Amino acid sequence: MKEDDSLKQINPPKQSQRTHLHEIDFMRIFFTFGVLFNHTVNKFTLAMSQSETYYTVRTLRVMFHYTRMGFIFISGVVLTLTYFNRNDCRLFLKKDSMAAYGHI
């Protein structure tokens, strides 16, 4: 079996065109801006001294730590929507293991 044939088995052609979810894009942009805000605040707090303003800004920074779990949540949503109607667990595990070990 050629390498091209094995890739065709692993990556079957799409059967139907799915609709694009703009809500997912919005959430990605929202989380990205949260990460950028968090890193910007970190740069400012490094230059600040220990004052009352310092602690206020640090408190703001902690409120924007939702982004880490947000990106994990979005990844789970996208994976669930992608594989929801597929009932071939062996194919999924084969693709997943090959991607994890750098064969794709």
Side-chain angles (χ1 to χ4, degrees), residues 29-42:
I29 291 169
F30 185 69
F31 294 143
T32 301
F33 280 125
V35 169
L36 292 174
F37 178 80
N38 199 357
H39 287 284
T40 304
V41 169
N42 282 341

mmCIF file with all atom_site columns, all heavy atoms in Angstrom, residues 29-42:
data_model
loop_
_atom_site.group_PDB
_atom_site.id
_atom_site.type_symbol
_atom_site.label_atom_id
_atom_site.label_alt_id
_atom_site.label_comp_id
_atom_site.label_asym_id
_atom_site.label_entity_id
_atom_site.label_seq_id
_atom_site.pdbx_PDB_ins_code
_atom_site.Cartn_x
_atom_site.Cartn_y
_atom_site.Cartn_z
_atom_site.occupancy
_atom_site.B_iso_or_equiv
_atom_site.pdbx_formal_charge
_atom_site.auth_seq_id
_atom_site.auth_comp_id
_atom_site.auth_asym_id
_atom_site.auth_atom_id
_atom_site.pdbx_PDB_model_num
ATOM 1   N N   . ILE A 1 29 ? -11.797 35.505 18.809 1.00 0.00 ? 29 ILE A N   1
ATOM 2   C CA  . ILE A 1 29 ? -11.325 36.897 18.824 1.00 0.00 ? 29 ILE A CA  1
ATOM 3   C C   . ILE A 1 29 ? -11.425 37.472 20.235 1.00 0.00 ? 29 ILE A C   1
ATOM 4   O O   . ILE A 1 29 ? -10.510 38.150 20.713 1.00 0.00 ? 29 ILE A O   1
ATOM 5   C CB  . ILE A 1 29 ? -12.139 37.736 17.813 1.00 0.00 ? 29 ILE A CB  1
ATOM 6   C CG1 . ILE A 1 29 ? -11.789 37.315 16.398 1.00 0.00 ? 29 ILE A CG1 1
ATOM 7   C CG2 . ILE A 1 29 ? -11.896 39.225 18.001 1.00 0.00 ? 29 ILE A CG2 1
ATOM 8   C CD1 . ILE A 1 29 ? -12.709 37.881 15.345 1.00 0.00 ? 29 ILE A CD1 1
ATOM 9   N N   . PHE A 1 30 ? -12.523 37.195 20.921 1.00 0.00 ? 30 PHE A N   1
ATOM 10  C CA  . PHE A 1 30 ? -12.718 37.677 22.287 1.00 0.00 ? 30 PHE A CA  1
ATOM 11  C C   . PHE A 1 30 ? -11.618 37.158 23.213 1.00 0.00 ? 30 PHE A C   1
ATOM 12  O O   . PHE A 1 30 ? -11.030 37.920 23.992 1.00 0.00 ? 30 PHE A O   1
ATOM 13  C CB  . PHE A 1 30 ? -14.105 37.233 22.769 1.00 0.00 ? 30 PHE A CB  1
ATOM 14  C CG  . PHE A 1 30 ? -14.498 37.757 24.102 1.00 0.00 ? 30 PHE A CG  1
ATOM 15  C CD1 . PHE A 1 30 ? -14.775 39.108 24.274 1.00 0.00 ? 30 PHE A CD1 1
ATOM 16  C CD2 . PHE A 1 30 ? -14.590 36.904 25.181 1.00 0.00 ? 30 PHE A CD2 1
ATOM 17  C CE1 . PHE A 1 30 ? -15.150 39.591 25.518 1.00 0.00 ? 30 PHE A CE1 1
ATOM 18  C CE2 . PHE A 1 30 ? -14.968 37.382 26.424 1.00 0.00 ? 30 PHE A CE2 1
ATOM 19  C CZ  . PHE A 1 30 ? -15.246 38.731 26.589 1.00 0.00 ? 30 PHE A CZ  1
ATOM 20  N N   . PHE A 1 31 ? -11.306 35.881 23.119 1.00 0.00 ? 31 PHE A N   1
ATOM 21  C CA  . PHE A 1 31 ? -10.260 35.309 23.961 1.00 0.00 ? 31 PHE A CA  1
ATOM 22  C C   . PHE A 1 31 ? -8.881  35.835 23.576 1.00 0.00 ? 31 PHE A C   1
ATOM 23  O O   . PHE A 1 31 ? -8.021  36.047 24.425 1.00 0.00 ? 31 PHE A O   1
ATOM 24  C CB  . PHE A 1 31 ? -10.282 33.782 23.886 1.00 0.00 ? 31 PHE A CB  1
ATOM 25  C CG  . PHE A 1 31 ? -11.527 33.178 24.483 1.00 0.00 ? 31 PHE A CG  1
ATOM 26  C CD1 . PHE A 1 31 ? -12.114 32.075 23.911 1.00 0.00 ? 31 PHE A CD1 1
ATOM 27  C CD2 . PHE A 1 31 ? -12.110 33.708 25.605 1.00 0.00 ? 31 PHE A CD2 1
ATOM 28  C CE1 . PHE A 1 31 ? -13.253 31.510 24.444 1.00 0.00 ? 31 PHE A CE1 1
ATOM 29  C CE2 . PHE A 1 31 ? -13.248 33.163 26.157 1.00 0.00 ? 31 PHE A CE2 1
ATOM 30  C CZ  . PHE A 1 31 ? -13.824 32.063 25.576 1.00 0.00 ? 31 PHE A CZ  1
ATOM 31  N N   . THR A 1 32 ? -8.656  36.047 22.287 1.00 0.00 ? 32 THR A N   1
ATOM 32  C CA  . THR A 1 32 ? -7.371  36.580 21.841 1.00 0.00 ? 32 THR A CA  1
ATOM 33  C C   . THR A 1 32 ? -7.140  37.979 22.394 1.00 0.00 ? 32 THR A C   1
ATOM 34  O O   . THR A 1 32 ? -6.049  38.300 22.866 1.00 0.00 ? 32 THR A O   1
ATOM 35  C CB  . THR A 1 32 ? -7.297  36.594 20.304 1.00 0.00 ? 32 THR A CB  1
ATOM 36  O OG1 . THR A 1 32 ? -7.472  35.257 19.832 1.00 0.00 ? 32 THR A OG1 1
ATOM 37  C CG2 . THR A 1 32 ? -5.967  37.128 19.813 1.00 0.00 ? 32 THR A CG2 1
ATOM 38  N N   . PHE A 1 33 ? -8.172  38.826 22.352 1.00 0.00 ? 33 PHE A N   1
ATOM 39  C CA  . PHE A 1 33 ? -8.030  40.163 22.927 1.00 0.00 ? 33 PHE A CA  1
ATOM 40  C C   . PHE A 1 33 ? -7.813  40.096 24.437 1.00 0.00 ? 33 PHE A C   1
ATOM 41  O O   . PHE A 1 33 ? -7.092  40.916 25.008 1.00 0.00 ? 33 PHE A O   1
ATOM 42  C CB  . PHE A 1 33 ? -9.228  41.043 22.590 1.00 0.00 ? 33 PHE A CB  1
ATOM 43  C CG  . PHE A 1 33 ? -9.164  41.627 21.219 1.00 0.00 ? 33 PHE A CG  1
ATOM 44  C CD1 . PHE A 1 33 ? -10.202 41.437 20.328 1.00 0.00 ? 33 PHE A CD1 1
ATOM 45  C CD2 . PHE A 1 33 ? -8.062  42.359 20.807 1.00 0.00 ? 33 PHE A CD2 1
ATOM 46  C CE1 . PHE A 1 33 ? -10.153 41.970 19.054 1.00 0.00 ? 33 PHE A CE1 1
ATOM 47  C CE2 . PHE A 1 33 ? -7.999  42.899 19.530 1.00 0.00 ? 33 PHE A CE2 1
ATOM 48  C CZ  . PHE A 1 33 ? -9.038  42.704 18.652 1.00 0.00 ? 33 PHE A CZ  1
ATOM 49  N N   . GLY A 1 34 ? -8.427  39.123 25.098 1.00 0.00 ? 34 GLY A N   1
ATOM 50  C CA  . GLY A 1 34 ? -8.186  38.941 26.530 1.00 0.00 ? 34 GLY A CA  1
ATOM 51  C C   . GLY A 1 34 ? -6.738  38.587 26.823 1.00 0.00 ? 34 GLY A C   1
ATOM 52  O O   . GLY A 1 34 ? -6.134  39.098 27.775 1.00 0.00 ? 34 GLY A O   1
ATOM 53  N N   . VAL A 1 35 ? -6.155  37.725 25.996 1.00 0.00 ? 35 VAL A N   1
ATOM 54  C CA  . VAL A 1 35 ? -4.743  37.357 26.162 1.00 0.00 ? 35 VAL A CA  1
ATOM 55  C C   . VAL A 1 35 ? -3.853  38.567 25.925 1.00 0.00 ? 35 VAL A C   1
ATOM 56  O O   . VAL A 1 35 ? -2.913  38.837 26.694 1.00 0.00 ? 35 VAL A O   1
ATOM 57  C CB  . VAL A 1 35 ? -4.361  36.197 25.209 1.00 0.00 ? 35 VAL A CB  1
ATOM 58  C CG1 . VAL A 1 35 ? -2.861  35.984 25.177 1.00 0.00 ? 35 VAL A CG1 1
ATOM 59  C CG2 . VAL A 1 35 ? -5.066  34.915 25.621 1.00 0.00 ? 35 VAL A CG2 1
ATOM 60  N N   . LEU A 1 36 ? -4.135  39.330 24.866 1.00 0.00 ? 36 LEU A N   1
ATOM 61  C CA  . LEU A 1 36 ? -3.338  40.526 24.581 1.00 0.00 ? 36 LEU A CA  1
ATOM 62  C C   . LEU A 1 36 ? -3.439  41.543 25.713 1.00 0.00 ? 36 LEU A C   1
ATOM 63  O O   . LEU A 1 36 ? -2.441  42.154 26.108 1.00 0.00 ? 36 LEU A O   1
ATOM 64  C CB  . LEU A 1 36 ? -3.783  41.149 23.259 1.00 0.00 ? 36 LEU A CB  1
ATOM 65  C CG  . LEU A 1 36 ? -3.477  40.325 22.011 1.00 0.00 ? 36 LEU A CG  1
ATOM 66  C CD1 . LEU A 1 36 ? -4.107  40.974 20.784 1.00 0.00 ? 36 LEU A CD1 1
ATOM 67  C CD2 . LEU A 1 36 ? -1.988  40.149 21.832 1.00 0.00 ? 36 LEU A CD2 1
ATOM 68  N N   . PHE A 1 37 ? -4.641  41.726 26.248 1.00 0.00 ? 37 PHE A N   1
ATOM 69  C CA  . PHE A 1 37 ? -4.818  42.640 27.380 1.00 0.00 ? 37 PHE A CA  1
ATOM 70  C C   . PHE A 1 37 ? -4.014  42.172 28.585 1.00 0.00 ? 37 PHE A C   1
ATOM 71  O O   . PHE A 1 37 ? -3.344  42.967 29.247 1.00 0.00 ? 37 PHE A O   1
ATOM 72  C CB  . PHE A 1 37 ? -6.304  42.746 27.738 1.00 0.00 ? 37 PHE A CB  1
ATOM 73  C CG  . PHE A 1 37 ? -6.568  43.618 28.925 1.00 0.00 ? 37 PHE A CG  1
ATOM 74  C CD1 . PHE A 1 37 ? -6.594  44.995 28.781 1.00 0.00 ? 37 PHE A CD1 1
ATOM 75  C CD2 . PHE A 1 37 ? -6.775  43.073 30.176 1.00 0.00 ? 37 PHE A CD2 1
ATOM 76  C CE1 . PHE A 1 37 ? -6.833  45.806 29.878 1.00 0.00 ? 37 PHE A CE1 1
ATOM 77  C CE2 . PHE A 1 37 ? -7.008  43.872 31.273 1.00 0.00 ? 37 PHE A CE2 1
ATOM 78  C CZ  . PHE A 1 37 ? -7.041  45.250 31.129 1.00 0.00 ? 37 PHE A CZ  1
ATOM 79  N N   . ASN A 1 38 ? -4.069  40.887 28.848 1.00 0.00 ? 38 ASN A N   1
ATOM 80  C CA  . ASN A 1 38 ? -3.356  40.326 29.996 1.00 0.00 ? 38 ASN A CA  1
ATOM 81  C C   . ASN A 1 38 ? -1.849  40.544 29.867 1.00 0.00 ? 38 ASN A C   1
ATOM 82  O O   . ASN A 1 38 ? -1.183  40.957 30.818 1.00 0.00 ? 38 ASN A O   1
ATOM 83  C CB  . ASN A 1 38 ? -3.682  38.841 30.109 1.00 0.00 ? 38 ASN A CB  1
ATOM 84  C CG  . ASN A 1 38 ? -3.392  38.293 31.474 1.00 0.00 ? 38 ASN A CG  1
ATOM 85  O OD1 . ASN A 1 38 ? -2.891  38.983 32.341 1.00 0.00 ? 38 ASN A OD1 1
ATOM 86  N ND2 . ASN A 1 38 ? -3.705  37.037 31.668 1.00 0.00 ? 38 ASN A ND2 1
ATOM 87  N N   . HIS A 1 39 ? -1.295  40.293 28.703 1.00 0.00 ? 39 HIS A N   1
ATOM 88  C CA  . HIS A 1 39 ? 0.142   40.476 28.504 1.00 0.00 ? 39 HIS A CA  1
ATOM 89  C C   . HIS A 1 39 ? 0.522   41.951 28.563 1.00 0.00 ? 39 HIS A C   1
ATOM 90  O O   . HIS A 1 39 ? 1.594   42.296 29.082 1.00 0.00 ? 39 HIS A O   1
ATOM 91  C CB  . HIS A 1 39 ? 0.579   39.864 27.173 1.00 0.00 ? 39 HIS A CB  1
ATOM 92  C CG  . HIS A 1 39 ? 0.591   38.369 27.195 1.00 0.00 ? 39 HIS A CG  1
ATOM 93  N ND1 . HIS A 1 39 ? 1.571   37.641 27.824 1.00 0.00 ? 39 HIS A ND1 1
ATOM 94  C CD2 . HIS A 1 39 ? -0.273  37.467 26.675 1.00 0.00 ? 39 HIS A CD2 1
ATOM 95  C CE1 . HIS A 1 39 ? 1.316   36.361 27.690 1.00 0.00 ? 39 HIS A CE1 1
ATOM 96  N NE2 . HIS A 1 39 ? 0.196   36.217 26.993 1.00 0.00 ? 39 HIS A NE2 1
ATOM 97  N N   . THR A 1 40 ? -0.331  42.823 28.067 1.00 0.00 ? 40 THR A N   1
ATOM 98  C CA  . THR A 1 40 ? -0.053  44.256 28.139 1.00 0.00 ? 40 THR A CA  1
ATOM 99  C C   . THR A 1 40 ? -0.045  44.733 29.581 1.00 0.00 ? 40 THR A C   1
ATOM 100 O O   . THR A 1 40 ? 0.850   45.490 29.993 1.00 0.00 ? 40 THR A O   1
ATOM 101 C CB  . THR A 1 40 ? -1.114  45.039 27.332 1.00 0.00 ? 40 THR A CB  1
ATOM 102 O OG1 . THR A 1 40 ? -1.130  44.545 26.001 1.00 0.00 ? 40 THR A OG1 1
ATOM 103 C CG2 . THR A 1 40 ? -0.815  46.518 27.325 1.00 0.00 ? 40 THR A CG2 1
ATOM 104 N N   . VAL A 1 41 ? -1.011  44.296 30.368 1.00 0.00 ? 41 VAL A N   1
ATOM 105 C CA  . VAL A 1 41 ? -1.055  44.679 31.784 1.00 0.00 ? 41 VAL A CA  1
ATOM 106 C C   . VAL A 1 41 ? 0.170   44.143 32.516 1.00 0.00 ? 41 VAL A C   1
ATOM 107 O O   . VAL A 1 41 ? 0.733   44.824 33.380 1.00 0.00 ? 41 VAL A O   1
ATOM 108 C CB  . VAL A 1 41 ? -2.374  44.197 32.430 1.00 0.00 ? 41 VAL A CB  1
ATOM 109 C CG1 . VAL A 1 41 ? -2.338  44.329 33.931 1.00 0.00 ? 41 VAL A CG1 1
ATOM 110 C CG2 . VAL A 1 41 ? -3.544  44.968 31.868 1.00 0.00 ? 41 VAL A CG2 1
ATOM 111 N N   . ASN A 1 42 ? 0.614   42.948 32.165 1.00 0.00 ? 42 ASN A N   1
ATOM 112 C CA  . ASN A 1 42 ? 1.819   42.400 32.794 1.00 0.00 ? 42 ASN A CA  1
ATOM 113 C C   . ASN A 1 42 ? 3.028   43.295 32.550 1.00 0.00 ? 42 ASN A C   1
ATOM 114 O O   . ASN A 1 42 ? 3.853   43.504 33.447 1.00 0.00 ? 42 ASN A O   1
ATOM 115 C CB  . ASN A 1 42 ? 2.110   40.993 32.280 1.00 0.00 ? 42 ASN A CB  1
ATOM 116 C CG  . ASN A 1 42 ? 1.224   39.959 32.912 1.00 0.00 ? 42 ASN A CG  1
ATOM 117 O OD1 . ASN A 1 42 ? 0.635   40.186 33.962 1.00 0.00 ? 42 ASN A OD1 1
ATOM 118 N ND2 . ASN A 1 42 ? 1.099   38.831 32.254 1.00 0.00 ? 42 ASN A ND2 1
#
